[in-house]
Amino acid sequence: KNEVEQSPQNLTAQEGEFITINCSYSVGISALHWLQQHPGGGIVSLFMLSSGKKKHGRLIATINIQEKHSSLHITASHPRDSAVYICAVCQETSGSRLTFGEGTQLTVNP
Amino acid sequence: GAGVSQSPRYKVAKRGQDVALRCDPISGHVSLFWYQQALGQGPEFLTYFQNEAQLDKSGLPSDRFFAERPEGSVSTLKIQRTQQEDSAVYLCASSWGLAHLFEQYFGPGTRLTVT
């Protein structure tokens, strides 16, 4: 079992839909990152959080430390949101390394 | 300012050849990370530098992999005697500090294909 599990693996939505991607982890963490990877490989950091909730534009990230769970929400989804979304955790035992989930492939159709 | 750059973007190597992959981090970033991403999978940590010091190399898969950052800026990941299982995208990221405190800025990656 991976230390970081994401669900779903693949998600197809219609433009305008509300989207939720989930991340569960089994280790103690000091921070969690949400990343976006577009075709061609470029990775962009969306959020880094260790508690509560953060919002940036149409993106919202939440984390529940007790339940070892985080969610990434996209409101009013758009085809340009199509990408792979990756959850990565920084374990308490190591401040230097991130452990990544396998990613969620999101496709938003017009 | 410029982001993280990596070169070459694509590299084809014959099995047994040595390769060197370069990363130019964002100017002033103290921390530099190397990751390996196999096709269809999430990245995996290889090694971490704080300035010129390699503080964590626990993710390097074998002693054929070697990384350096001699002046605390540009870093090179070297793979000796490449094997087919080394085929992957190698990502470099830089940040102002540790992964639990700062977001990371990723380069475009180097896609290595070993034939």
Side-chain angles (χ1 to χ4, degrees), chain A residues 15-29:
Chain A
E15 184 172 357
E17 286 184 0
F18 180 85
I19 287 161
T20 296
I21 298 171
N22 296 298
C23 175
S24 296
Y25 50 91
S26 57
V27 294
I29 70 167

Side-chain angles (χ1 to χ4, degrees), chain A residues 1-48:
Chain A
K1 189 176 178 357
N2 292 335
E3 292 168 321
V4 181
E5 298 271 358
Q6 288 186 234
S7 63
Q9 281 189 309
N10 294 282
L11 180 56
T12 300
Q14 288 301 120
E15 184 172 357
E17 286 184 0
F18 180 85
I19 287 161
T20 296
I21 298 171
N22 296 298
C23 175
S24 296
Y25 50 91
S26 57
V27 294
I29 70 167
S30 50
L32 182 144
H33 297 247
W34 279 104
L35 309 165
Q36 180 191 56
Q37 186 168 30
H38 279 284
I43 293 179
V44 173
S45 177
L46 299 175
F47 296 102
M48 187 187 73

Side-chain angles (χ1 to χ4, degrees), chain A residues 41-90:
Chain A
I43 293 179
V44 173
S45 177
L46 299 175
F47 296 102
M48 187 187 73
L49 64 167
S50 55
S51 66
K53 175 179 173 178
K54 287 190 175 180
K55 184 175 189 292
H56 184 252
R58 295 181 294 105
L59 301 178
I60 302 166
T62 64
I63 188 169
N64 185 318
I65 295 291
Q66 286 73 30
E67 294 187 4
K68 292 189 162 73
H69 181 269
S70 176
S71 293
L72 176 69
H73 305 286
I74 305 175
T75 61
S77 60
H78 190 275
R80 65 175 175 266
D81 297 327
S82 298
V84 175
Y85 292 84
I86 303 172
C87 169
V89 302
C90 187

Side-chain angles (χ1 to χ4, degrees), chain B:
Chain B
V4 179
S5 61
Q6 292 186 244
S7 61
R9 293 291 315 276
Y10 302 91
K11 176 70 178 177
V12 178
K14 287 191 183 340
R15 193 166 66 91
Q17 282 186 334
D18 298 349
V19 298
L21 313 180
R22 177 186 169 107
C23 173
D24 283 82
I26 292 173
S27 178
H29 275 190
V30 168
S31 296
L32 187 144
F33 307 81
W34 282 100
Y35 301 99
Q36 180 190 59
Q37 186 173 26
L39 189 64
Q41 297 185 17
E44 291 194 4
F45 171 85
L46 292 177
T47 187
Y48 160 65
F49 289 86
Q50 182 174 309
N51 296 308
E52 69 279 3
Q54 188 176 20
L55 298 185
D56 187 345
K57 54 181 182 179
S58 60
L60 296 176
S62 78
D63 59 7
R64 297 186 295 104
F65 286 71
F66 172 76
E68 60 182 4
R69 194 186 185 198
E71 297 178 0
S73 178
V74 170
S75 177
T76 304
L77 176 67
K78 297 179 179 177
I79 309 173
Q80 297 177 322
R81 304 181 304 281
T82 52
Q83 299 180 6
Q84 284 194 315
E85 61 261 31
D86 299 335
S87 295
V89 175
Y90 291 85
L91 296 162
C92 173
S94 70
S95 76
W96 291 110
L98 290 172
H100 69 292
L101 294 174
F102 299 94
E103 68 176 318
Q104 297 186 13
Y105 296 81
F106 286 78
T110 295
R111 181 176 298 277
L112 172 65
T113 303
V114 181
T115 60

